[in-house]
Amino acid sequence: MKPRAAFSAFALAVALSPSLADAQASAPPPPAAQPPPPAYAPPPQYAPPPQYAPPPPGYAPPPQPPPVVAQTAPRKKTLELTGFAGWQVNSDVYLSTGKLEVDDAQAWGLAISSEVAPNSFAELRWTYADPKVRAAGISQLNGSEPFHVQTHYFQIGGTRGMRRDRVTIFGGATLGASLFAPESLKLANGQTVSFGDTWLFAFTLGAGFKIDLTPKLGLRFDANVAAPVKFTSGGIWVGGGGAGLTVSGGVPIWQWNFLGALVFSP
C-alpha cells in the first residue's frame, strides 16, 4: 500500500471512533436474567392418625344415657253397631202324630259388638223372624188355617276373625234364649185356639266376612244356624262312686239365617 493511502485510512478510523463510542454508550443494557421457577412440590401424603396413650388402669367410660323409645298410643278398642236383614230357611217340626210345616221367611236383627282383642269381638245379638206354619197329619187340626209364629233369638257370644287389608273373615258362636210366640189358630169349625209363648235355651254357629268401606262404615255378610234346645227329661243320681246329672232333649227345629248387614262404628 502507498503511504498516502494508508494515512487516509488511519485518519478515517480516527474520525469515526468517537461516533462508534457514542453509539455503544447510548445502546440499552441487556435484560437481567430471571430467577429459575421453584421446584414442583409433590402433593401431601396421607398422614396416619395420631396415637393416643391408653387410659390408665381402672378407667371406665362415662355411662351413656338410655335410648329414647317412642311412646305409642294404646290401640283404641272398637265398638260396632250392626243392623241385619236377610232370609231365614226353616226345617219342619216333627211331632208324634204329625208335623208342623214351617215356611221360610224374612229375618231381621241387631247386634252390638265390642272389640276385646285384635279382630275378636264380644257380641250381644237379637234376631227376629215371623214364619208361617201349617199343621199336617194332625187329626185335631185338620182343615185349620195357617198361622204365624214370631221367633226371637236373644244371644250373647263372640266372633274371631282374620283381617286382610279391608276384609275380615270371621267365625262365631253364641248362647242364649229363644222365644216362640204363635198367634191364635183358627180351626175348621170356626173355633179359635190360643197358644202360650215358649221359651227355650238356644245356640247359634256361623261364619261370614266384613268389608270396611270407611273407618266408620262397613258391610257384613253372615250365615248362621240357630237351634233351640228342648229338654225333655233330667235326673240326678247319687251312688257310692259319686254323683251325676243327666239331661235329655233335642232340637225341634233348625233355622238357617243368611244375612247382610250395615256396620257402623261410632
Side-chain angles (χ1 to χ4, degrees):
M1 178 182 296
K2 293 180 180 182
R4 185 177 180 87
F7 177 81
S8 298
F10 176 77
L12 180 60
V14 171
L16 292 176
S17 59
S19 299
L20 292 174
D22 294 339
Q24 292 178 353
S26 62
Q34 299 294 327
Y40 172 74
Q45 299 297 321
Y46 170 76
Q51 299 295 326
Y52 298 100
Y59 171 80
Q64 300 296 325
V68 179
V69 180
Q71 299 293 329
T72 58
R75 187 175 183 270
K76 183 180 179 181
K77 302 299 183 181
T78 303
L79 180 68
E80 293 183 350
L81 306 178
T82 306
F84 294 97
W87 193 252
Q88 185 181 85
V89 179
N90 298 298
S91 69
D92 295 336
V93 179
Y94 290 90
L95 307 173
S96 58
T97 58
K99 67 177 182 179
L100 297 176
E101 297 176 344
V102 184
D103 290 346
D104 303 335
Q106 286 186 323
W108 313 87
L110 296 172
I112 301 176
S113 306
S114 177
E115 190 174 20
V116 295
N119 300 319
S120 298
F121 287 81
E123 187 170 271
L124 183 64
R125 183 167 179 166
W126 165 72
T127 307
Y128 169 80
D130 188 21
K132 185 182 291 186
V133 178
R134 292 181 299 274
I138 304 175
S139 58
Q140 299 91 335
L141 301 181
N142 286 338
S144 62
E145 297 182 358
F147 60 100
H148 287 267
V149 178
Q150 297 183 13
T151 305
H152 303 263
Y153 281 87
F154 305 95
Q155 300 285 294
I156 185 170
T159 63
R160 182 172 179 81
M162 179 177 61
R163 185 180 179 88
R164 291 292 183 271
D165 195 15
R166 292 189 175 186
V167 179
T168 301
I169 302 173
F170 63 87
T174 63
L175 296 173
S178 58
L179 170 63
F180 297 90
E183 65 181 12
S184 298
L185 172 63
K186 189 174 182 180
L187 301 177
N189 58 9
Q191 293 182 353
T192 301
V193 178
S194 297
F195 301 97
D197 297 345
T198 301
W199 286 89
L200 295 174
F201 171 79
F203 67 90
T204 69
L205 297 172
F209 63 94
K210 183 173 62 176
I211 303 173
D212 294 333
L213 302 178
T214 69
K216 292 186 175 294
L217 191 66
L219 297 176
R220 174 172 168 173
F221 300 90
D222 199 302
N224 66 73
V225 57
V229 179
K230 184 177 181 180
F231 300 104
T232 57
S233 63
I236 299 176
W237 57 268
V238 180
L245 171 67
T246 62
V247 178
S248 62
V251 177
I253 184 173
W254 295 92
Q255 299 181 296
W256 289 269
N257 299 298
F258 302 92
L259 306 170
L262 189 65
V263 182
F264 175 69
S265 180

